[in-house]
Amino acid sequence: MSVFVHQSSRVIIQGFTGQHATFHAEESMENGTNVVGGVTPGKGGQTHLDRPVFDTVSQAVRETGADVSGIFVPPPFAADAIMEALEAGIGVVVVIADGIPVQDMVRVKRYAMDCNAIIIGPNTPGIITPAACKVGIMPSHIYTPGRIGVVSRSGTLNYEAVQQMTELGMGQSTSVGIGGDPVNGTDFVTVLRAFEEDPDTDAVIMIGEIGGPQEVDAAQWAKDNMSKPVVGFVAGVSAPPGRRMGHAGAIISGQADTANAKMDLMEELGVHVVRNPALIGETANRVFS
Amino acid sequence: MNIHEYQTKELIKSYGVPVPDGRVAHNVDNAVTVAEDLGGERWVVKAQIHAGGRGKGGGVKVASSLDEVRQFTDQMIGSQLVTPQTGENGRLVQRVLVEQACDIKKEYYLGMIIDRGSQRITVIASASGGMDIEEVAKTQPEKVIREAVDPAVGLMEFQCRKIAANIGLRGKQIHEASKLMRALYKCFREKDALLAEINPLAEMNDGSLMALDAKMSFDGNALYRRPSITEFRDFDEEDPKEVEASGHGLNYIALDGNVGCIVNGAGLAMATMDSISFHKGKPANFLDVGGGASPEKVGNAFRIVLQDPNVKIILVNIFAGINRCDWIAEGLIKAMQDQKIEVPVVVRLAGTNVEKGAAMLEESGLDFIMAENLDDAATRVMAILGGQAS
């Protein structure tokens, strides 16, 4: 079945007619994603990439039956766009933007409490169920269909892990980028729960980084609730405290935020921890076979 | 983005948070004039740098005469102040804050953060003021009060009263503290802060409350809508290489090793550093060239990494998603030709157009050391460094 996005997902793109959105929507469509239309306020009624353009998300949902939205609008407008998608009843909202003010996301999360939706991101490469549905900016060609779920905060480190898997013949059920921001839509626990419930996922690779408690929370959840094995890595062993390492959320604010502290705890909680990022694929192969 | 104590106090005072009377001074005469204007018999002279722990480094002194104000200011301005947070080289002090000294009965802690657990703005308070709150949280967790704010309604008065009562404030202090917290919260919201810390929040002899020291930092992603905060930025407090890098759209952080790193993506950049560390090497920097890495960006990345004299070797690790390996290769070739790079350059390319990029590097005839994968790259770096050392 895969998680969150599937062959049957009907995808719209917010900010559809923009340059990046166009490029990535086209790439997704070539790789099997069912993009049913898009939204650019003021351009409703036009056609773009042979798909209808709407002024509002609710119009798009009404006309196309869309249930997934990829948000490609710039950071200052992203919070508004997310809430528009939630209000229109979209079930899975994928937010690519890197640089949304944190307090905007605090309000978005409050708004989302009343909606039964999944927000992926922000600051994520997106989500892909290989050969079925991709909403995001990752290169489709490195992913292959398979039975391992991948979830990560970083984009390029996700690619790195997937490449290592591919070289060893392991494919992915779904790969989810939860994003590098401190306040994000979906945490590791939510994704682990989805993978645990997915009959087409046998095992999970979880890739975290310095900052925040969510990797350890996820390991605790997995210990209490999961039957499937989890391989984990946390980036930033060599990062200095108090500095933001590229991602807004990748900052060591206290001892518990460090990569080693998190990996030690994850190990205690039963996660198969990899200490060398070059060996994520190899470790997964050993543990899962 | 961090700002100075005197700027924080100006800002929160404008929202109604009581702070001691004081002004910033840029030289000795200036400091004495400020003290004279303030009047009284005792003043506090505080070095203004962004790092904390200033008291421990001699950056906060109480003067009992104008002569002492002069003497302390003279010692501080122009000196490199070393604190537990500055590193051994310290930070250059360019100005001091001169304040009227106050008589304090008791010290409390009051902070606001964006809590990653609750994903909300959260007030943190404690009766143990003047101490590192993380230390208090570790040793006496029951003494740390936390109250998350519902963004739909904001910080409510009942929450403030609850916090005040829980840290032991009494009588009209509870209302005073409540007003102060709401003022700070308003400032936090309206200026897109990430952190506000009043430590200590002091109880005066007459029972009134005052922010004796204050620190705030702000969301860099929200500065576009907070021009008044942008004006507070002090470039002297930042590493010039980091400032230059951000001007080129690169994310660079200087570290103390000798392996220069040029990587795309923050996570992969950290993992590359980790891989070097795993092989017992030390990264010289974190550098993320970002998504759309043009040949120019790659050239600038080399220039910035090589400004660090400790760099003995460079590791380029690119996993092209939206990037393309042929663009990166073009940038690498140009940088090698234009910049007379004398240190070895190990390159690992993967992802979009990898064959094309690798072929370009090969055909260039330049001395790139090609690596198969991340582990191979780190291994080669260490082998070359080992060879240099022997």
Side-chain angles (χ1 to χ4, degrees):
Chain A
M1 222 342 234
S2 63
V3 305
F4 305 136
V5 297
H6 318 285
Q7 191 83 60
S8 58
S9 295
R10 300 175 67 80
V11 180
I12 54 163
I13 304 294
Q14 287 173 255
F16 191 31
T17 54
Q19 188 195 339
H20 288 293
T22 303
F23 177 85
H24 293 290
E26 235 174 344
E27 206 254 18
S28 303
M29 286 155 71
E30 283 163 13
N31 288 283
T33 306
N34 186 18
V35 176
V36 295
V39 176
T40 299
K43 293 194 177 172
Q46 298 182 8
T47 301
H48 184 64
L49 303 178
D50 291 329
R51 301 290 188 278
V53 182
F54 301 93
D55 285 318
T56 69
V57 178
S58 49
Q59 280 171 351
V61 169
R62 204 164 48 236
E63 300 292 324
T64 66
D67 53 8
V68 175
S69 177
I71 296 186
F72 280 78
V73 307
F77 316 108
D80 183 59
I82 300 168
M83 289 189 268
E84 183 183 1
L86 294 173
E87 195 263 350
I90 293 282
V92 178
V93 183
V94 184
V95 192
I96 307 304
D98 171 9
I100 301 179
V102 183
Q103 293 199 23
D104 285 8
M105 280 310 297
V106 170
R107 285 190 284 282
V108 165
K109 291 215 71 174
R110 176 64 172 85
Y111 189 86
M113 280 173 69
D114 301 332
C115 315
N116 190 20
I118 293 282
I119 301 170
I120 309 279
N123 194 4
T124 170
I127 176 168
I128 181 169
T129 294
C133 182
K134 177 189 108 162
V135 187
I137 60 173
M138 63 283 258
S140 298
H141 63 89
I142 65 168
Y143 296 86
T144 43
R147 302 189 57 85
I148 295 172
V150 182
V151 56
S152 69
R153 275 164 76 177
S154 150
T156 44
L157 195 48
N158 178 303
Y159 310 162
E160 173 71 41
V162 165
Q163 166 118 336
Q164 290 177 22
M165 292 168 72
T166 303
E167 279 170 3
L168 296 166
M170 286 180 283
Q172 303 82 38
S173 53
T174 301
S175 174
V176 186
I178 60 169
D181 279 3
V183 175
N184 58 358
T186 297
D187 59 9
F188 280 123
V189 170
T190 308
V191 182
L192 289 187
R193 183 184 294 121
F195 280 135
E196 174 69 10
E197 288 167 2
D198 175 32
D200 291 333
T201 299
D202 293 339
V204 179
I205 295 179
M206 174 169 88
I207 302 166
E209 58 195 35
I210 53 168
Q214 62 163 307
E215 288 84 359
V216 174
D217 292 349
Q220 182 67 54
W221 187 88
K223 182 178 192 284
D224 298 341
N225 302 281
M226 256 181 115
S227 60
K228 300 173 183 177
V230 179
V231 163
F233 171 72
V234 176
V237 169
S238 42
R243 306 299 312 270
R244 262 170 228 288
M245 307 302 281
H247 290 152
I251 179 165
I252 299 172
S253 307
Q255 183 50 37
D257 280 341
T258 65
N260 278 330
K262 291 200 211 190
M263 285 195 279
D264 291 348
L265 279 170
M266 286 160 67
E267 205 151 47
E268 277 175 33
L269 292 164
V271 172
H272 303 273
V273 169
V274 196
R275 301 277 170 167
N276 179 352
L279 301 181
I280 297 172
E282 212 176 293
T283 309
N285 199 31
R286 199 185 61 237
V287 171
F288 299 161
S289 59
Chain B
M1 191 194 99
N2 295 324
I3 66 174
H4 287 293
E5 177 196 2
Y6 76 92
Q7 294 166 328
T8 304
K9 282 179 168 166
E10 251 169 50
L11 180 66
I12 62 177
K13 189 183 173 189
S14 73
Y15 277 86
V17 176
V19 300
D21 282 335
R23 278 207 319 268
V24 69
H26 294 81
N27 58 50
V28 174
D29 292 341
N30 207 200
V32 175
T33 312
V34 171
E36 275 172 350
D37 288 353
L38 292 172
E41 287 164 357
R42 289 189 309 130
W43 301 268
V44 186
V45 182
K46 306 180 88 176
Q48 298 295 290
I49 58 168
H50 282 181
R54 292 169 300 169
K56 294 188 182 101
V60 179
K61 290 197 166 157
V62 179
S64 308
S65 66
L66 290 174
D67 273 348
E68 277 190 352
V69 171
R70 180 180 296 280
Q71 183 196 331
F72 295 150
T73 306
D74 193 41
Q75 284 165 2
M76 286 180 203
I77 289 186
S79 73
Q80 294 286 131
L81 181 61
V82 181
T83 84
Q85 291 180 19
T86 57
E88 57 187 21
N89 292 331
R91 292 271 180 82
L92 178 66
V93 180
Q94 304 200 350
R95 70 212 86 173
V96 295
L97 172 62
V98 182
E99 287 181 339
Q100 219 163 35
C102 339
D103 293 317
I104 303 160
K105 200 154 85 187
K106 186 168 167 34
E107 296 184 338
Y108 302 87
Y109 174 95
L110 175 67
M112 289 180 193
I113 58 164
I114 295 180
D115 176 54
R116 296 173 71 149
S118 65
Q119 307 247 298
R120 292 185 169 184
I121 297 174
T122 299
V123 182
I124 300 172
S126 165
S128 308
M131 290 163 68
D132 181 358
I133 191 69
E134 227 190 274
E135 203 49 48
V136 180
K138 215 185 304 171
T139 52
Q140 302 160 286
E142 73 287 353
K143 289 203 169 164
V144 178
I145 313 291
R146 302 171 74 93
E147 188 78 21
V149 182
D150 182 341
V153 291
L155 179 62
M156 300 301 292
E157 282 182 65
F158 79 86
Q159 293 183 294
C160 300
R161 294 196 299 269
K162 200 163 91 182
I163 297 162
N166 278 335
I167 60 172
L169 294 171
R170 292 290 174 262
K172 70 177 175 91
Q173 282 178 334
I174 289 180
H175 299 287
E176 205 182 320
S178 173
K179 217 173 118 197
L180 188 152
M181 283 181 224
R182 280 164 58 93
L184 188 65
Y185 176 77
K186 188 163 190 277
C187 176
F188 195 98
R189 277 280 296 110
E190 289 182 0
K191 301 299 180 192
D192 274 296
L194 297 178
L195 170 115
E197 205 172 38
I198 297 178
N199 189 23
L201 172 68
E203 180 184 338
M204 302 294 126
N205 278 339
D206 66 2
S208 64
L209 300 171
M210 192 173 271
L212 222 53
D213 195 0
K215 176 182 165 185
M216 282 184 89
S217 74
F218 300 87
D219 186 351
N221 290 330
L223 290 178
Y224 72 91
R225 62 188 183 198
R226 306 295 172 221
S228 66
I229 300 300
T230 312
E231 282 172 22
F232 284 143
R233 186 164 176 188
D234 181 357
F235 287 98
D236 291 338
E237 289 285 331
E238 298 173 38
D239 182 316
K241 292 197 291 295
E242 293 175 15
V243 174
E244 186 189 343
S246 73
H248 294 303
L250 303 166
N251 216 321
Y252 171 91
I253 293 170
L255 302 168
D256 55 6
N258 57 8
V259 183
C261 300
I262 297 176
V263 190
N264 72 314
L268 190 60
M270 275 188 275
T272 304
M273 289 160 43
D274 292 350
S275 197
I276 294 164
S277 304
F278 189 83
H279 286 88
K280 311 279 180 245
K282 288 190 86 179
N285 64 277
F286 167 94
L287 192 152
D288 172 13
V289 293
S294 61
E296 291 72 34
K297 257 187 162 179
V298 175
N300 287 324
F302 268 92
R303 204 165 296 117
I304 288 159
V305 167
L306 285 168
Q307 279 176 22
D308 177 351
N310 293 327
V311 169
K312 297 283 180 286
I313 188 166
I314 292 179
L315 170 54
V316 180
N317 185 17
I318 302 292
F319 203 120
I322 4 179
N323 277 317
R324 287 168 37 181
C325 287
D326 50 324
W327 294 344
I328 301 286
E330 192 185 324
L332 288 174
I333 292 167
K334 202 161 176 320
M336 279 290 250
Q337 286 167 342
D338 294 355
Q339 296 185 40
K340 299 195 190 69
I341 292 166
E342 282 162 3
V343 299
V345 178
V346 176
V347 182
R348 183 274 181 128
L349 296 178
T352 310
N353 290 359
V354 58
E355 290 85 8
K356 199 171 164 192
M360 285 166 67
L361 296 184
E362 176 73 40
E363 283 157 20
S364 73
L366 294 163
D367 207 3
F368 293 109
I369 300 148
M370 300 303 291
E372 293 282 317
N373 53 45
L374 181 53
D375 207 43
D376 186 36
T379 308
R380 279 172 193 272
V381 164
M382 295 319 293
I384 294 165
L385 281 178
Q388 282 177 349
S390 61

PDB file of all heavy atoms in Angstrom, chain B residues 84-95:
ATOM      1  N   PRO B  84      33.188  31.743  29.274  1.00  0.00           N
ATOM      2  CA  PRO B  84      33.036  30.311  28.968  1.00  0.00           C
ATOM      3  C   PRO B  84      32.407  30.072  27.589  1.00  0.00           C
ATOM      4  O   PRO B  84      32.495  28.974  27.047  1.00  0.00           O
ATOM      5  CB  PRO B  84      32.107  29.822  30.088  1.00  0.00           C
ATOM      6  CG  PRO B  84      32.305  30.778  31.213  1.00  0.00           C
ATOM      7  CD  PRO B  84      32.598  32.101  30.579  1.00  0.00           C
ATOM      8  N   GLN B  85      31.769  31.099  27.010  1.00  0.00           N
ATOM      9  CA  GLN B  85      31.098  30.904  25.717  1.00  0.00           C
ATOM     10  C   GLN B  85      31.850  31.472  24.512  1.00  0.00           C
ATOM     11  O   GLN B  85      31.406  31.337  23.377  1.00  0.00           O
ATOM     12  CB  GLN B  85      29.691  31.521  25.759  1.00  0.00           C
ATOM     13  CG  GLN B  85      28.753  30.764  26.685  1.00  0.00           C
ATOM     14  CD  GLN B  85      27.366  31.375  26.708  1.00  0.00           C
ATOM     15  OE1 GLN B  85      26.971  32.121  25.813  1.00  0.00           O
ATOM     16  NE2 GLN B  85      26.609  31.059  27.731  1.00  0.00           N
ATOM     17  N   THR B  86      32.968  32.166  24.732  1.00  0.00           N
ATOM     18  CA  THR B  86      33.617  32.834  23.597  1.00  0.00           C
ATOM     19  C   THR B  86      34.709  32.019  22.925  1.00  0.00           C
ATOM     20  O   THR B  86      35.153  32.348  21.832  1.00  0.00           O
ATOM     21  CB  THR B  86      34.310  34.141  24.029  1.00  0.00           C
ATOM     22  OG1 THR B  86      35.255  33.824  25.052  1.00  0.00           O
ATOM     23  CG2 THR B  86      33.332  35.171  24.528  1.00  0.00           C
ATOM     24  N   GLY B  87      35.170  30.956  23.567  1.00  0.00           N
ATOM     25  CA  GLY B  87      36.389  30.303  23.077  1.00  0.00           C
ATOM     26  C   GLY B  87      37.586  31.055  23.641  1.00  0.00           C
ATOM     27  O   GLY B  87      37.436  32.125  24.243  1.00  0.00           O
ATOM     28  N   GLU B  88      38.785  30.503  23.439  1.00  0.00           N
ATOM     29  CA  GLU B  88      39.959  31.041  24.131  1.00  0.00           C
ATOM     30  C   GLU B  88      40.414  32.407  23.612  1.00  0.00           C
ATOM     31  O   GLU B  88      41.088  33.146  24.312  1.00  0.00           O
ATOM     32  CB  GLU B  88      41.110  30.033  24.071  1.00  0.00           C
ATOM     33  CG  GLU B  88      41.494  29.644  22.651  1.00  0.00           C
ATOM     34  CD  GLU B  88      42.523  28.515  22.626  1.00  0.00           C
ATOM     35  OE1 GLU B  88      42.618  27.795  23.657  1.00  0.00           O
ATOM     36  OE2 GLU B  88      43.203  28.371  21.599  1.00  0.00           O
ATOM     37  N   ASN B  89      40.033  32.749  22.367  1.00  0.00           N
ATOM     38  CA  ASN B  89      40.452  34.052  21.844  1.00  0.00           C
ATOM     39  C   ASN B  89      39.585  35.201  22.348  1.00  0.00           C
ATOM     40  O   ASN B  89      39.971  36.361  22.245  1.00  0.00           O
ATOM     41  CB  ASN B  89      40.420  34.047  20.314  1.00  0.00           C
ATOM     42  CG  ASN B  89      41.488  33.125  19.752  1.00  0.00           C
ATOM     43  OD1 ASN B  89      42.534  32.936  20.381  1.00  0.00           O
ATOM     44  ND2 ASN B  89      41.212  32.530  18.602  1.00  0.00           N
ATOM     45  N   GLY B  90      38.419  34.894  22.855  1.00  0.00           N
ATOM     46  CA  GLY B  90      37.550  35.942  23.374  1.00  0.00           C
ATOM     47  C   GLY B  90      36.935  36.788  22.265  1.00  0.00           C
ATOM     48  O   GLY B  90      37.071  36.500  21.082  1.00  0.00           O
ATOM     49  N   ARG B  91      36.234  37.836  22.679  1.00  0.00           N
ATOM     50  CA  ARG B  91      35.585  38.754  21.735  1.00  0.00           C
ATOM     51  C   ARG B  91      36.007  40.176  22.067  1.00  0.00           C
ATOM     52  O   ARG B  91      36.123  40.545  23.225  1.00  0.00           O
ATOM     53  CB  ARG B  91      34.052  38.701  21.878  1.00  0.00           C
ATOM     54  CG  ARG B  91      33.415  37.428  21.450  1.00  0.00           C
ATOM     55  CD  ARG B  91      33.065  37.448  19.956  1.00  0.00           C
ATOM     56  NE  ARG B  91      32.436  36.175  19.587  1.00  0.00           N
ATOM     57  CZ  ARG B  91      31.150  35.919  19.793  1.00  0.00           C
ATOM     58  NH1 ARG B  91      30.355  36.839  20.306  1.00  0.00           N
ATOM     59  NH2 ARG B  91      30.662  34.747  19.471  1.00  0.00           N
ATOM     60  N   LEU B  92      36.213  40.962  21.025  1.00  0.00           N
ATOM     61  CA  LEU B  92      36.586  42.362  21.195  1.00  0.00           C
ATOM     62  C   LEU B  92      35.404  43.158  21.756  1.00  0.00           C
ATOM     63  O   LEU B  92      34.303  43.111  21.220  1.00  0.00           O
ATOM     64  CB  LEU B  92      37.010  42.950  19.842  1.00  0.00           C
ATOM     65  CG  LEU B  92      37.383  44.428  19.846  1.00  0.00           C
ATOM     66  CD1 LEU B  92      38.647  44.666  20.672  1.00  0.00           C
ATOM     67  CD2 LEU B  92      37.573  44.944  18.425  1.00  0.00           C
ATOM     68  N   VAL B  93      35.651  43.875  22.853  1.00  0.00           N
ATOM     69  CA  VAL B  93      34.605  44.709  23.439  1.00  0.00           C
ATOM     70  C   VAL B  93      34.681  46.102  22.808  1.00  0.00           C
ATOM     71  O   VAL B  93      35.733  46.739  22.832  1.00  0.00           O
ATOM     72  CB  VAL B  93      34.787  44.827  24.969  1.00  0.00           C
ATOM     73  CG1 VAL B  93      33.685  45.705  25.575  1.00  0.00           C
ATOM     74  CG2 VAL B  93      34.802  43.452  25.616  1.00  0.00           C
ATOM     75  N   GLN B  94      33.574  46.554  22.236  1.00  0.00           N
ATOM     76  CA  GLN B  94      33.561  47.863  21.574  1.00  0.00           C
ATOM     77  C   GLN B  94      32.679  48.875  22.289  1.00  0.00           C
ATOM     78  O   GLN B  94      32.701  50.054  21.950  1.00  0.00           O
ATOM     79  CB  GLN B  94      33.101  47.706  20.126  1.00  0.00           C
ATOM     80  CG  GLN B  94      33.965  46.709  19.383  1.00  0.00           C
ATOM     81  CD  GLN B  94      33.866  46.870  17.892  1.00  0.00           C
ATOM     82  OE1 GLN B  94      33.024  47.589  17.401  1.00  0.00           O
ATOM     83  NE2 GLN B  94      34.737  46.208  17.164  1.00  0.00           N
ATOM     84  N   ARG B  95      31.871  48.407  23.232  1.00  0.00           N
ATOM     85  CA  ARG B  95      31.015  49.340  23.962  1.00  0.00           C
ATOM     86  C   ARG B  95      30.609  48.716  25.288  1.00  0.00           C
ATOM     87  O   ARG B  95      30.664  47.484  25.430  1.00  0.00           O
ATOM     88  CB  ARG B  95      29.804  49.731  23.127  1.00  0.00           C
ATOM     89  CG  ARG B  95      28.797  48.656  22.908  1.00  0.00           C
ATOM     90  CD  ARG B  95      28.116  48.786  21.570  1.00  0.00           C
ATOM     91  NE  ARG B  95      28.952  48.107  20.568  1.00  0.00           N
ATOM     92  CZ  ARG B  95      28.603  47.904  19.320  1.00  0.00           C
ATOM     93  NH1 ARG B  95      27.470  48.360  18.861  1.00  0.00           N
ATOM     94  NH2 ARG B  95      29.400  47.260  18.490  1.00  0.00           N
TER      95      ARG B  95
END
